[in-house]
Amino acid sequence: MSGRQSLARAIEAARRVVVFTGAGVSTESGVPDFRSPGGVWSKMKPIYFQDFVADEEKRREAWRRVYSGAARWTGARPNIGHLAVARLVAAGKASAVITQNVDNLHQESGVPDDKVIELHGNAHYARCLVCSHRYEFEEFRTGFLEREEIPVCRWCGGLVKSATISFGQPMPEEPMARAEAETLACDLFLVLGSSLVVYPAAGFPLLARQSGARLAIVNREPTDQDRFADIVVHDEIGPVMGEVVRL
Ligand code: ZN
């Protein structure tokens, strides 16, 4: 039996699937994998969280990047891989999508907001770092682009930052806790397009395995955790998932 057939059967047999996605799902939509050679961080230096908080010039640079779309995290469209995942959720087969991506493409492909657990935040809006109030980028666009006004919270005066989790920023507690609960409750943990090297996110597949779930990994390249998986498919996500979910 091919890897694709095994995967299709495993999904069919599963009672509760959790899908875990990484950059590989979105590269097929043209969103760059920021860790790969030629990726975003090989072209522009990341702004560390501590620097954003401490240094006004770093904050200005961060907001310039927001409005220039420098990281190309926005503007892409979901691909067949996202649609296959959305289908699994809509069918009641998958209970949640845990993602390392910040591009909002799971939501845009039709997965309800409350089923998407974002471990690294979201690049489509901003939040106050103190009171967590959500702001749309549009609110600050004119002030920043015309007068270089660096956004602050209108409620508490705190710093406002793109809702992504930056390097050096603590992992968000609530999504981490939800991801753990979903992982422990599933009987099939399906990794799509993650090289599983960034911790603590990369700890979830093993947690699933230890709690008795089956583990399936679909990734173009081998991953460090292939040896723990029940099913491994080394291929593009979209074509594999499109066939497995029969889109
Ligand atoms: Zn605030």
Side-chain angles (χ1 to χ4, degrees):
M1 201 181 336
S2 74
R4 291 183 186 202
Q5 287 170 321
S6 303
L7 180 59
R9 290 205 184 168
I11 291 172
E12 202 176 290
R15 184 182 45 81
R16 186 177 174 123
V17 179
V18 162
V19 183
F20 178 97
T21 67
V25 172
S26 292
T27 47
E28 293 169 30
S29 285
V31 180
D33 176 359
F34 55 90
R35 281 183 188 79
S36 65
V40 173
W41 301 137
S42 67
K43 293 180 189 135
M44 69 182 183
K45 271 170 64 172
I47 296 170
Y48 281 73
F49 183 67
Q50 289 75 2
D51 295 334
F52 181 93
V53 171
D55 183 346
E56 184 179 305
E57 187 42 50
K58 289 283 166 46
R59 290 198 285 282
R60 190 170 290 123
E61 174 61 21
W63 281 99
R64 261 186 221 123
R65 290 179 184 182
V66 165
Y67 291 115
S68 69
R72 290 170 45 218
W73 277 326
T74 54
R77 303 297 310 149
N79 65 62
I80 193 162
H82 295 104
L83 296 174
V85 171
R87 181 69 65 89
L88 290 176
V89 173
K93 185 60 97 169
S95 60
V97 182
I98 303 171
T99 187
Q100 298 172 286
N101 300 335
V102 299
D103 52 37
N104 207 51
L105 291 180
H106 287 300
Q107 292 91 330
E108 285 176 37
S109 69
V111 180
D113 285 1
D114 65 347
K115 301 273 189 195
V116 183
I117 303 173
E118 295 172 316
L119 299 179
H120 297 157
N122 189 308
H124 280 242
Y125 55 89
R127 278 195 195 281
C128 170
L129 291 176
V130 177
C131 74
S132 293
H133 185 79
R134 173 175 167 157
Y135 290 96
E136 305 309 316
F137 289 142
E138 209 44 48
E139 295 187 41
F140 302 118
R141 180 185 294 275
T142 306
F144 183 79
L145 291 180
E146 291 181 4
R147 297 181 294 279
E148 286 217 327
E149 287 169 10
I150 296 173
V152 289
C153 180
R154 103 168 69 85
W155 301 105
C156 78
L159 295 175
V160 176
K161 178 186 161 298
S162 148
T164 51
I165 304 299
S166 297
F167 289 102
Q169 188 169 0
M171 292 296 282
E173 283 175 27
E174 194 240 326
M176 284 297 285
R178 284 179 59 213
E180 185 177 331
E182 286 290 347
T183 299
L184 292 172
C186 77
D187 62 351
L188 174 64
F189 194 91
L190 172 56
V191 177
L192 301 178
S194 173
S195 46
L196 298 174
V197 290
V198 182
Y199 284 85
F204 289 111
L206 269 189
L207 182 64
R209 197 79 186 76
Q210 284 160 0
S211 77
R214 301 186 82 197
L215 174 60
I217 297 176
V218 184
N219 196 52
R220 209 169 45 186
E221 317 289 342
T223 80
D224 287 351
Q225 299 188 27
D226 286 0
R227 63 186 187 279
F228 305 121
D230 300 284
I231 299 160
V232 176
V233 181
H234 291 149
D235 210 335
E236 305 283 328
I237 315 301
V240 171
M241 290 305 293
E243 182 181 319
V244 164
V245 182
R246 295 215 183 84
L247 287 180

